[in-house]
Amino acid sequence: MKVRAEARRDRLRRLHFGDVEQLDEPICASTRSSRQLLITIEIPTTDEPLYRAFFTKLAHLSDRPISL
């Protein structure tokens, strides 16, 4: 799994979830990749720190880098 964050002009942020091609890819990144995209959700910008903390912890537990 990988997550790509996309900033929006309104008070929402899009998170794009997809499959990784290599297991050492960052679990999160700020750029969007159209490859292997599975689902996109929108979250309030105010909730972003909670998601960021969750994916950072997940990256550490799975020994994967994070690039936010």
Side-chain angles (χ1 to χ4, degrees), residues 1-8 13-18 27 29 31-33 37-41:
M1 176 192 73
K2 66 182 173 186
V3 180
R4 301 294 182 250
E6 175 189 1
R8 305 241 346 205
R13 182 172 280 272
R14 284 187 179 153
L15 298 180
H16 305 277
F17 294 84
I27 200 164
T31 59
R32 184 177 148 192
S33 171
L37 185 62
L38 299 175
I39 190 169
T40 298
I41 64 168

Side-chain angles (χ1 to χ4, degrees), residues 19-60:
D19 291 331
V20 294
E21 293 180 18
Q22 298 179 347
L23 292 177
D24 61 347
E25 282 184 52
I27 200 164
C28 294
S30 58
T31 59
R32 184 177 148 192
S33 171
S34 60
R35 300 173 116 191
Q36 309 289 329
L37 185 62
L38 299 175
I39 190 169
T40 298
I41 64 168
E42 290 186 340
I43 61 167
T45 303
T46 55
D47 288 349
E48 182 186 358
L50 298 171
Y51 284 88
R52 185 182 301 257
F54 171 76
F55 290 116
T56 298
K57 184 173 184 175
L58 184 62
H60 290 298

